[in-house]
Amino acid sequence: MDTFQKAKDHFLAGIQKLESGALEEAEREFLASLDLAPGRPSTLTNLGATQIKLKKFSAAKSTCKEALASDKNNSEALLNLGLAYKETGDLITALDSFKQALMLDPKSSKAWSNKGSALRDLHRYEEALISFDRALDLDEKYYEAWTNRGLTLNDLGRHNESIQSYAEAISINRNYVDAWFNKGSIYLALKEFSQALACFETAFEINPDYEYLLGDLVHSKLLIGDWKDLDEKLLRLVKQIEYQEPVSTPFPMLSAVDKPELHLATAKLWANKQYPRNTSLPVIPKKNHSKIRIGYFSPDFKDHPVSFLMAELFELHHRDEFEIFAFSLKADNAGGVVRKRLIAGFDQFLDVENKSDQEVTQLSRDNEIDIAIDLSGYTQFSRTGIFAHRAAPIQVNYLGYPGTLGTGYFDYIIADPTLIPPTHQCFYAEKVAYLPYSYMVDDSKRIASEKILEKKDFGLPDNTFVFCCFNNSYKFNAELITSWAKIMLKVPNSVLWLSENNKDFKSNLLIAFSSRGVDPTRLIFAPRVELMEDHLARYRMADLFLDTLPFNAHTTALDALKAGVPILALTGEAFAGRVTTSLLKAINLPDLITNSREEYESLAVELVKTPNKLDEIKKRLQINLVESPLFNTQIFVKNIETLYKKMYEQYQEGLAPEHLTI
């Protein structure tokens, strides 16, 4: 057999392996073919495509460039080169490659679609939409383009059109999991949780190992209080995370399991795959500023719990020592009062929603930000990619996300000794910067209204003990409901006051309590209250807040205490399950902290049956609201600024980040 034929045989074997998904074998076959017949453009092009699928992006770039050196009109090689650049975060170069491919082949629907994807990642959504529409004009059956179009429409807030695009993709290929998953994600964002769950369950039937699907499926079930078959799903979720399989984004894990080691593993898997460290920008040169420049990054500079808590902190920062910048990752289309206050409270307020991650990073560097603080973590509309590019010499994870981000480029997480005891530091990728008392700040201007309220205004019966919990529905679970049912059965003259959350949750919860022997009429559901001062005022109708685990009340717990309502805590292992315990220690009410379900249930009943004890706790709470440091914003500002100075000194001295205390 001559050399040419051997090369051809290896090439054809490579094509066969590539089509069957045996990628490593395909790569070997293409390399063997090139050893015998170097420089063949078709072999190099297919090798580049294989290396992209194998995520060997550096090798793929070299291969594609070699293919183009042999044939400068190789549009397929240009497409592959663009994909390799896109996957490594160099979106401008990727876009240029796709444009060159289109110059060679303007009727390539694939090139138009890839161009649209690059434009979308650059936050140039309207241009991206034009590209996807062009791809679909050329091939109306191109279901991947329909799905990418759906993603872009969602970015533009055109949710119904987005859902329709996914429906088009599904009508062409019912087994296209991406479309089912993305359709479910939109329903999730729209708070149409049952429809989201239906999409995720269909996707799970098609491919139960689809990346990040199982976590969202579990989260959707928790959101509507559908706990049937949940134990089986949770067991699978835990095992797959333990086997290093990317089956959940980080946030759903916080309410799924109380295991900080699994939260770390999930965050690492997510960060390494979605937001790896990006070194395309140069190392930041060291500067020594007379005032430390603090950049707060958030999509929640609006009517949102993060801003409700932090508004006064931004205002009280000492301007003789600090310059304070806001990087707003999302506009406030509602034009709320909080946004206006925040804009006034920063030295500079930068709206960066329509900038790419790299552009935001460069803007931060241009402003010579010393400490970049991410206030969103892995919550909705977060932009971790900004920090992957290194927005500042010091990068900090604080407040918005109760756990580690699992990266190698966040230097610190701000916490307190209760949230992350020294023995738990190993579960955090960041070094821990410890605040005394509690990590949570509050705005002292956030006060309850003076309206005269009565229980009947909220459908609550008089002369009845009112347990309450205004937590989000995903924080509830079957084990918790069993504990609450036991408590209520032992305290017959009581009701449970809950946030309405959503209609499916309400319906499922009524069934759950009824099946445990509790009359469902004893559950009173509270609709959303628009004004914060009215929300705080209505807490006065409650006698005792019952907390959740593995995901505690956070802002909700602070609200309850601020309104004078004691909160019964059950301490967990992970950050999300230790927040209420932290708050109770900070306000000097340790007698409300429990460490087992049995202790939790027993203390709840005891507090009802010994009203003098509960009255004494309420009196102490009222005194401690004034005397303890928890609600003293001035003390908090001083403490967090001391931490910032320590971080800055550590950096200026050329030392690596280390655990900090003050």
Side-chain angles (χ1 to χ4, degrees):
M1 185 183 296
D2 62 21
T3 301
F4 176 77
Q5 187 58 48
K6 287 181 180 178
K8 183 179 179 181
D9 288 345
H10 281 297
F11 172 76
L12 292 173
I15 294 294
Q16 184 182 33
K17 296 295 184 183
L18 178 59
E19 290 175 348
S20 67
L23 300 176
E24 299 208 358
E25 294 175 49
E27 183 184 34
R28 284 195 293 270
E29 293 290 353
F30 291 135
L31 288 170
S33 179
L34 288 166
D35 283 342
L36 296 166
R40 288 191 68 207
S42 59
T43 310
L44 287 164
T45 300
N46 282 284
L47 174 60
T50 304
Q51 289 169 329
I52 288 169
K53 289 179 181 292
L54 286 166
K55 304 190 185 307
K56 296 181 177 181
F57 301 120
S58 180
K61 289 175 190 176
S62 297
T63 301
C64 294
K65 287 175 182 177
E66 189 179 347
L68 288 164
S70 298
D71 177 10
K72 65 179 181 180
N73 294 324
N74 187 335
S75 62
E76 195 67 26
L78 277 167
L79 281 179
N80 290 335
L81 182 61
L83 286 172
Y85 278 116
K86 180 176 179 293
E87 290 295 331
T88 52
D90 190 348
L91 297 172
I92 298 298
T93 307
L95 184 60
D96 186 58
S97 293
F98 297 141
K99 286 178 178 178
Q100 289 181 56
L102 281 168
M103 288 175 67
L104 293 171
D105 184 5
K107 292 189 176 181
S108 169
S109 58
K110 187 176 179 182
W112 280 109
S113 186
N114 285 335
K115 179 185 175 185
S117 292
L119 288 165
R120 176 177 176 259
D121 287 350
L122 285 164
H123 295 251
R124 292 159 61 178
Y125 301 125
E126 295 288 358
E127 294 175 74
L129 194 59
I130 291 169
S131 288
F132 292 130
D133 285 343
R134 185 75 181 100
L136 290 164
D137 286 342
L138 293 164
D139 180 4
E140 64 179 11
K141 298 295 184 182
Y142 191 177
Y143 53 85
E144 293 97 334
W146 278 112
T147 300
N148 286 328
R149 181 177 184 269
L151 287 167
T152 308
L153 286 164
N154 185 46
D155 293 327
L156 290 166
R158 293 159 61 179
H159 304 303
N160 290 333
E161 292 175 78
S162 177
I163 290 168
Q164 186 55 43
S165 277
Y166 294 135
E168 291 284 355
I170 290 165
S171 71
I172 298 163
N173 180 358
R174 194 187 182 282
N175 291 324
Y176 188 46
V177 186
D178 288 39
W180 283 110
F181 178 75
N182 289 323
K183 187 179 179 185
S185 297
I186 288 191
Y187 280 130
L188 202 60
L190 293 173
K191 302 186 185 303
E192 296 180 20
F193 303 128
S194 291
Q195 288 172 281
L197 178 59
C199 290
F200 293 143
E201 287 181 330
T202 301
F204 192 78
E205 289 171 9
I206 298 167
N207 180 4
D209 295 319
Y210 185 81
E211 289 186 349
Y212 312 117
L213 168 61
L214 185 54
D216 279 354
L217 191 158
V218 165
H219 193 60
S220 299
K221 288 176 77 69
L222 288 172
L223 279 161
I224 63 170
D226 176 5
W227 303 313
K228 63 178 181 294
D229 305 323
L230 190 58
D231 287 345
E232 176 189 335
K233 294 286 193 302
L234 287 172
L235 184 62
R236 180 183 182 121
L237 186 67
V238 168
K239 285 189 173 181
Q240 290 191 265
I241 293 292
E242 288 174 341
Y243 287 133
Q244 297 291 297
E245 296 175 21
V247 291
S248 179
T249 57
F251 188 80
M253 290 297 289
L254 302 181
S255 53
V257 293
D258 185 30
K259 293 181 180 291
E261 66 273 21
L262 290 181
H263 298 170
L264 173 62
T266 308
K268 279 185 172 180
L269 285 168
W270 174 251
N272 290 341
K273 188 171 180 63
Q274 300 296 326
Y275 302 107
R277 188 193 301 272
N278 191 306
T279 57
S280 58
L281 295 175
V283 174
I284 300 173
K286 186 174 286 188
K287 299 284 180 73
N288 193 343
H289 296 123
S290 59
K291 295 181 183 181
I292 301 173
R293 299 182 182 184
I294 307 291
Y296 288 101
F297 294 70
S298 177
D300 301 319
F301 289 136
K302 56 185 178 182
D303 290 357
H304 184 278
V306 167
S307 291
F308 293 151
L309 297 180
M310 296 196 72
E312 191 175 19
L313 167 66
F314 304 140
E315 295 165 346
L316 291 179
H317 270 307
H318 293 90
R319 282 352 197 236
D320 56 335
E321 295 182 279
F322 296 90
E323 285 186 72
I324 310 300
F325 295 72
F327 290 79
S328 176
L329 308 179
K330 196 77 176 166
D332 179 17
N333 296 325
V337 175
V338 172
R339 178 80 162 198
K340 294 174 184 174
R341 180 182 171 191
L342 292 171
I343 291 171
F346 283 97
D347 296 316
Q348 290 196 47
F349 192 94
L350 306 172
D351 189 345
V352 298
E353 178 177 9
N354 294 319
K355 294 184 182 295
S356 70
D357 290 346
Q358 186 166 323
E359 287 172 332
V360 178
T361 302
Q362 189 60 58
L363 182 62
S364 177
R365 290 177 172 215
D366 291 344
N367 281 281
E368 297 184 4
I369 299 300
D370 296 306
I371 305 176
I373 300 167
D374 182 10
L375 296 176
S376 54
Y378 294 135
T379 58
Q380 191 178 29
F381 306 123
S382 61
R383 299 275 297 275
T384 311
I386 293 166
F387 302 92
H389 284 89
R390 180 62 72 170
I394 304 163
Q395 300 194 141
V396 180
N397 166 19
Y398 176 54
L399 193 66
Y401 183 78
T404 183
L405 300 182
T407 76
Y409 46 79
F410 274 95
D411 305 295
Y412 298 97
I413 179 172
I414 295 178
D416 61 57
T418 300
L419 294 174
I420 307 178
T423 54
H424 285 200
Q425 289 172 355
C426 59
F427 302 131
Y428 296 81
E430 309 87 348
K431 296 299 182 184
V432 185
Y434 286 105
L435 285 166
Y437 316 120
S438 173
Y439 87 119
M440 194 175 283
V441 64
D442 184 53
D443 178 358
S444 66
K445 298 174 184 175
R446 205 170 60 96
I447 57 175
S449 73
E450 296 298 322
K451 289 181 181 177
I452 305 300
L453 302 174
E454 298 180 21
K455 284 186 175 181
K456 65 181 180 180
D457 298 329
F458 304 96
L460 298 166
D462 289 324
N463 303 315
T464 302
F465 192 92
V466 178
F467 295 110
C468 81
C469 181
F470 289 158
N471 285 358
N472 204 310
S473 58
Y474 62 79
K475 298 184 180 184
F476 290 57
N477 54 61
E479 193 174 9
L480 177 77
I481 298 308
T482 297
S483 286
W484 286 357
K486 289 179 182 178
I487 293 167
M488 294 184 73
L489 290 171
K490 290 179 181 177
V491 185
N493 189 34
S494 67
V495 294
L496 180 58
W497 193 23
L498 304 166
S499 289
E500 200 166 47
N501 283 296
N502 61 80
K503 61 181 177 61
D504 294 305
F505 169 77
K506 180 178 177 180
S507 175
N508 286 330
L509 208 61
L510 290 169
I511 293 168
F513 272 96
S514 181
S515 69
R516 289 162 173 80
V518 176
D519 184 344
T521 62
R522 295 175 63 190
L523 270 64
I524 314 295
F525 290 92
R528 177 178 172 80
V529 172
E530 290 303 321
L531 295 177
M532 172 58 67
E533 55 264 36
D534 290 344
H535 170 62
L536 291 172
R538 69 176 172 172
Y539 264 109
R540 301 184 190 120
M541 305 301 106
D543 296 298
L544 180 65
F545 190 116
L546 297 177
D547 200 15
T548 51
L549 190 75
F551 204 136
N552 289 170
H554 291 185
T555 305
T556 314
L558 200 72
D559 290 348
L561 293 171
K562 191 176 186 109
V565 179
I567 179 166
L568 182 60
L570 178 54
T571 310
E573 290 296 311
F575 189 127
R578 301 177 68 86
V579 171
T580 303
T581 297
S582 164
L583 297 176
L584 289 171
K585 285 183 178 180
I587 204 164
N588 197 25
L589 291 174
D591 33 350
L592 289 171
I593 298 168
T594 67
N595 295 291
S596 70
R597 292 207 174 269
E598 293 74 21
E599 186 186 357
Y600 176 85
E601 294 163 15
S602 175
L603 183 54
V605 174
E606 181 187 348
L607 289 171
V608 180
K609 295 192 173 181
T610 54
N612 290 342
K613 181 173 183 176
L614 184 58
D615 287 343
E616 187 274 331
I617 288 173
K618 288 182 177 180
K619 287 175 184 175
R620 267 195 291 139
L621 173 55
Q622 289 298 331
I623 294 168
N624 295 347
L625 283 171
V626 178
E627 295 184 354
S628 78
L630 181 60
F631 291 100
N632 190 319
T633 316
Q634 297 275 5
I635 288 176
F636 186 92
V637 171
K638 178 183 175 183
N639 288 332
I640 201 167
E641 287 183 346
T642 301
L643 269 187
Y644 292 160
K645 290 175 193 174
K646 284 200 166 194
M647 294 174 188
Y648 191 64
E649 288 167 8
Q650 189 83 0
Y651 166 70
Q652 288 295 337
E653 291 172 11
L655 300 174
E658 62 181 29
H659 302 301
L660 301 176
T661 57
I662 58 173

